Amino acid sequence: MSKLADLTVPAPTPTGETQHFWDALADGRFELPYCTRCETWFFYPRAMCPTCWREEWRWRPASGRGTVAGWSRVHRPGHPAWAAAAPYLLAVVVLDEGPRMLAHVLEGPAVPAVGSAVRVRPTAVGGHVIAAVAVEEAS
Ligand SMILES: [Zn+2]
């Protein structure tokens, strides 16, 4: 398996709503949209809060902690640039703040089970940084 930093994969395409997310990750920070109207965290970033449909939200530092809701071992990536990293794990993570996020699972001794504790690790992949997760505690 090749190192993630050495992969040449397509970069995310930031939008007006997501640019801050990617910039924060590149600085080693994990921030999520937080609606100041209904006091709800949400992800992915978008113009309006998906709970109350207001545009009254701001970026807020998040814990980066969560639990695995499910995972899959990817043997045939959706894009050929990821083939050198295969097989790898993708997990649906329920963040402690509430939102769910699809994340690359970093290599480690533990294979995650549903309910395993994970922590977000901003990780260089090619020329950009993604919000990968590391398994903290196998369930
Ligand atoms: Zn709201």
Side-chain angles (χ1 to χ4, degrees):
M1 180 179 289
S2 65
K3 292 186 175 188
L4 293 174
D6 297 334
L7 294 178
T8 303
V9 297
T13 305
T15 65
E17 285 87 23
T18 64
Q19 184 69 58
H20 180 92
F21 177 78
W22 299 114
D23 290 346
L25 275 179
D27 288 341
R29 295 177 285 114
F30 182 65
E31 298 189 7
L32 295 173
Y34 178 79
C35 178
T36 55
R37 179 74 175 215
C38 72
E39 301 181 338
T40 302
W41 299 82
F42 61 94
F43 186 82
Y44 59 91
R46 62 198 94 173
M48 293 184 289
C49 168
T51 300
C52 71
W53 301 103
R54 304 290 178 124
E55 296 179 4
E56 299 165 36
W57 63 271
R58 64 182 170 83
W59 291 99
R60 191 168 170 186
S63 68
R65 290 189 295 270
T67 57
V68 172
W71 60 269
S72 181
R73 187 180 311 276
V74 178
H75 291 273
R76 303 179 100 190
H79 191 283
W82 283 89
Y88 56 87
L89 301 181
L90 289 180
V92 174
V93 172
V94 180
L95 298 166
D96 282 5
E97 289 80 5
R100 289 176 176 238
M101 178 180 79
L102 185 66
H104 186 95
V105 179
L106 297 171
E107 291 180 68
V111 173
V114 170
S116 295
V118 294
R119 184 177 293 260
V120 171
R121 298 274 187 250
T123 302
V125 178
H128 54 277
V129 178
I130 65 169
V133 295
V135 176
E136 298 264 293
E137 168 192 326
S139 180

